[in-house]
Structure formats: C-alpha cells, structure tokens
Amino acid sequence: MSRVSQAEAQANRKRVVEAASRLFREKGVPNVSVADVMQSVGLTQGGFYKQFASKSALVDEAAAKAFADMLDQLTAMDDDHADHDAARSALIESYLSPEARDNPDTSCPAAGFAGDFAREPERRDVYAAGVRDMAGWIAPGDTGLAALSTLVGALLLARATAGSPLSEDILRAARKAASRLTD
C-alpha cells in the first residue's frame, strides 16, 4: 500500500471538510457518521483519524469553512453590485428563495448548523463568530442581528413547511420584513 503525499493528504482533508459541511447542513450532524463523510469522498474511515482528532473537530472545521465561504459570497455580492444596499437586497432575495429553502446542503451555515450548535453549548464559538460576521456584513449593530435573525428564522420555518402554501408565504413576508429592517 502506498503512502499519500502531503499535497494529496491536504487535498483529501479539504475534500472531507467540504463534504462534511454539505452533509451536516443537509442532514444534521447527528445523522451523519464519519463513515458517511468518508464514503462520500471515496476514502476509508481509517484515514479520518489521521486527519482529525474527532468528529467534533470536523464539525467545527466544517462550520468554519461554511461561514468563510458564505463571507466570500457576501464579498462577491458587494463586488457585483453598485453599492452595499443593492448587494444586501440581492442577499435577501436569494437567501429567502425556494432554491435556498430546498437546498440546505449549499445554503447558509447559520441556518444549516443552528440546531446542532444549539445542542452543543461547549462548541458555540465557531458558530457565534460566523453569525457575528454575517450580521456585521448585513448592517452594523442590532440592525444586522435583527435582519439575520429574520432571514435564518424564516428559512428554517419555510423548510419546515415546504410543500405547503405557508412556506411560500413565509419567504415572501420575511423578504419584506428584512428589507424594511435594513432600509
């Protein structure tokens, strides 16, 4: 059996973290095993413990990666729009869309990891930092926190009621409310 190079090991680690981030947001941390993550990238479970101390360490890294990716997307929105207000409006529209509701694996980590980190108080630092950064991008202070809370809460409610007319009503009403908060 041949050993993998350091570059291959780093590439494998990156693939594992990205896959874990998607799977954890889609199915929830308790519903995804280390074996599930490793199988999704075509690696053996034995290789996991050469890269990560524990599943908890992977959860933290996957959440941090998801929040970093989200902040990259937000920065790109600023680059793609005439001003921050236009970028923020675009975020609200895309965040509270049927596509975001129906694809939790690629959607916002604040919504995707909320339940998992709520049940793990000793591990909330990564999540809290990501939420703080996202809210700060939206608007300073309480306005950003209120707007993000509206977005995340509405997305979770829309997912829980998906398939019913109420889900669309939640998305529509929250788009209006979040826009008013940030005007």
Side-chain angles (χ1 to χ4, degrees), residues 70-120:
M70 185 72 183
L71 286 174
D72 288 346
Q73 291 173 17
L74 296 176
T75 299
M77 289 180 119
D78 273 329
D79 294 343
D80 292 344
H81 292 84
D83 58 35
H84 189 69
D85 289 341
R88 185 174 44 230
S89 293
L91 169 69
I92 291 168
E93 288 299 316
S94 66
Y95 195 104
L96 295 173
S97 68
E99 293 77 25
R101 176 197 60 207
D102 297 341
N103 295 290
D105 59 326
T106 57
S107 188
C108 176
F113 284 102
D116 296 313
F117 280 89
R119 289 183 287 277
E120 302 264 349

Side-chain angles (χ1 to χ4, degrees), residues 42-157:
L43 297 172
T44 65
Q45 186 174 345
F48 175 84
Y49 293 100
K50 292 177 185 172
Q51 294 281 347
F52 302 94
S54 64
K55 181 180 175 183
S56 292
L58 175 60
V59 172
D60 288 346
E61 195 167 329
K65 170 83 168 108
F67 277 111
D69 290 348
M70 185 72 183
L71 286 174
D72 288 346
Q73 291 173 17
L74 296 176
T75 299
M77 289 180 119
D78 273 329
D79 294 343
D80 292 344
H81 292 84
D83 58 35
H84 189 69
D85 289 341
R88 185 174 44 230
S89 293
L91 169 69
I92 291 168
E93 288 299 316
S94 66
Y95 195 104
L96 295 173
S97 68
E99 293 77 25
R101 176 197 60 207
D102 297 341
N103 295 290
D105 59 326
T106 57
S107 188
C108 176
F113 284 102
D116 296 313
F117 280 89
R119 289 183 287 277
E120 302 264 349
E122 68 280 357
R123 297 181 38 245
R124 290 185 182 153
D125 292 346
V126 168
Y127 185 83
V131 167
R132 186 177 34 257
D133 290 345
M134 284 184 67
W137 182 90
I138 293 170
D142 288 351
T143 300
L145 290 170
L148 182 60
S149 297
T150 299
L151 295 174
V152 171
L155 187 58
L156 292 172
L157 290 172

